[in-house]
Amino acid sequence: PPYPPPTSSPPQPPPLRTIAPSQSLHEQVMLELGAIPKLLGILASSSDEPILSCHAAGALGNLLFSPGARDAFLAETVEGKNGIRLLVEALEGPPEHDDQACSLCLVVMNACFEHEPCREELEKAGGINALVACLAYDAHFVRAAASGAILNAAFTANCAEAVRDAAVEVEIRQKAVAFSGFELLVRLLSAEHPRLRSRGAGALFNCAAFGPDNRQEMRSQGVLKAVIGALQTDRLGAPPTAEDGLAYRIQSNLLGVIMNAALNPACKAEIIDSGGIAPLLAAAKSSDETVQVRQLRRLCRWTRGLCGIYAGGHVASAASMPVDTWPLRHLCRWTRGLLRVLHAVGRS
């Protein structure tokens, strides 16, 4: 894709994270002693013992902070199933307790962080649909863990497309209502808890990076209008209670959805018609550099389409450049194009 999005920041640590005073040393010793296959065996046989299941998942989640452990997690098998497939099977159970569901999702989140083989295996095992189903839980901590797992998984095209195709039924007022993966992620954009907003927006940001079909589906399901609606609030989508750092991440991820969707002409037109320019201009005043950079990229795409600054195609290398140097290369072009856009908007 022209703009491969960043994964999330290091995943939220599982509950047992602080038990070891020397993290790296303990992880290495546990790996050498074969902890992963033993923990997988416990996880596979403890579905009806929630406390044991949560502790096994927590230990696995801690170990998976190490890239080498992720390789072992995928290579080791219990009854012919590797770690990813055992997790998916447990999630499809479904778990009897919210804590179990949360722990399992956290393991998936850590396994998929910067590890393409785990993400590919997750998609092959049907794990995306299991994670999307967890977005329908009432417990906010389950939804936070599931959305974090989806965010990390959606860094791979196959997983992003699987989120688009996922569908689950949610019981509302004693009636089963079907929701798509995108619709459940959109619901997170108005959640009370800031981390839910951040991860929901981040998952949509990643999904919008992969292919025209995803962007078109986002447009048809009202995702773009929902994102613009969030950006039109007082804090550009962040709740009043969010600390500045988390607020900036929410804003940056929401802007990322618009940036990637604007690659599609129909999506770009909808963004403009829905009042998307105003929040982008507001984002230019942000004190956070990432928010500013992503806002400039969106303006670049709009001016490219509206003012003919670019002859088409994608700025493929832009996303990989340092955020402190990339905007300077095109700032003059953007300024000229932006003035034309504002002039056109003023006339209309």
Side-chain angles (χ1 to χ4, degrees):
Y3 283 83
T7 56
S8 68
S9 58
Q12 177 180 325
L16 302 184
R17 184 63 173 165
T18 58
I19 203 169
S22 179
Q23 170 194 328
S24 58
L25 176 61
H26 284 208
E27 288 178 351
Q28 184 62 34
V29 171
M30 290 179 71
L31 291 175
E32 291 176 356
L33 293 174
I36 285 183
K38 293 180 174 64
L39 289 169
L40 287 175
I42 294 172
L43 188 65
S45 61
S46 61
S47 58
D48 57 345
E49 299 180 65
I51 295 178
L52 182 58
S53 174
C54 288
H55 280 287
L60 281 169
N62 285 343
L63 285 174
L64 292 179
F65 272 74
S66 166
R70 295 172 206 148
D71 294 332
F73 182 71
L74 204 56
E76 298 287 353
T77 60
V78 174
E79 298 179 356
K81 301 171 185 175
N82 60 32
I84 288 291
R85 292 189 177 270
L86 286 171
L87 288 174
V88 172
E89 186 177 88
L91 283 169
E92 290 176 339
E96 294 183 5
H97 299 272
D98 291 345
D99 288 340
Q100 283 178 289
C102 177
S103 298
L104 293 168
C105 289
L106 286 173
V107 181
V108 177
M109 180 170 69
N110 290 358
C112 291
F113 180 67
E114 296 184 348
H115 199 271
E116 181 82 11
C118 278
R119 296 195 290 263
E120 293 285 358
E121 183 69 10
L122 180 70
E123 188 275 329
K124 292 176 183 177
I128 297 298
N129 213 72
L131 291 172
V132 168
C134 290
L135 294 177
Y137 275 59
D138 291 331
H140 71 86
F141 53 87
V142 177
R143 287 179 285 144
S147 55
I150 292 171
L151 189 158
N152 282 350
F155 191 71
T156 293
N158 289 343
C159 289
E161 292 166 358
V163 175
R164 177 197 69 209
D165 297 334
V168 298
E169 288 191 345
V170 180
E171 187 173 329
I172 299 178
R173 297 177 182 177
Q174 299 182 336
K175 182 181 295 185
V177 180
F179 283 90
S180 69
F182 286 163
E183 288 172 331
L184 289 173
L185 287 171
V186 163
R187 293 175 67 182
L188 301 182
L189 302 184
S190 57
E192 178 182 354
H193 297 273
R195 193 169 301 279
L196 285 175
R197 297 195 189 196
S198 172
R199 290 181 175 176
L204 290 170
F205 171 26
N206 283 358
C207 288
F210 294 101
D213 291 343
N214 274 17
R215 299 178 195 121
Q216 287 280 26
E217 194 63 28
M218 285 184 165
R219 174 174 167 267
S220 66
Q221 293 191 26
V223 173
L224 300 183
K225 290 183 177 179
V227 169
I228 292 170
L231 286 168
Q232 289 172 336
T233 59
D234 290 341
R235 295 190 73 192
L236 296 174
T241 57
E243 297 179 356
D244 285 348
L246 191 51
Y248 292 147
R249 175 163 295 184
I250 293 169
Q251 295 160 2
S252 181
N253 285 341
L254 288 170
L255 291 167
V257 180
I258 302 301
M259 176 182 72
N260 286 332
L263 289 168
N264 181 289
C267 293
K268 183 189 300 183
E270 175 157 311
I271 292 167
I272 295 173
D273 292 342
S274 300
I277 289 182
L280 293 188
L281 296 177
K285 302 176 183 178
S286 173
S287 59
D288 182 76
E289 188 178 61
T290 304
V291 175
Q292 290 180 345
V293 168
R294 289 185 180 169
Q295 180 265 356
L296 288 173
R297 289 180 182 173
R298 289 151 194 73
L299 291 176
C300 169
R301 289 185 175 168
W302 280 338
T303 54
R304 178 179 62 192
L306 295 175
C307 309
I309 292 176
Y310 293 93
H314 306 302
V315 189
S317 61
S320 61
M321 293 183 181
V323 294
D324 57 342
T325 61
W326 184 79
L328 300 179
R329 300 183 59 187
H330 302 289
L331 186 56
C332 292
R333 299 183 190 178
W334 290 346
T335 302
R336 291 197 302 269
L338 179 57
L339 289 174
R340 296 180 191 177
V341 172
L342 294 177
H343 179 65
V345 171
R347 287 186 303 177
S348 62

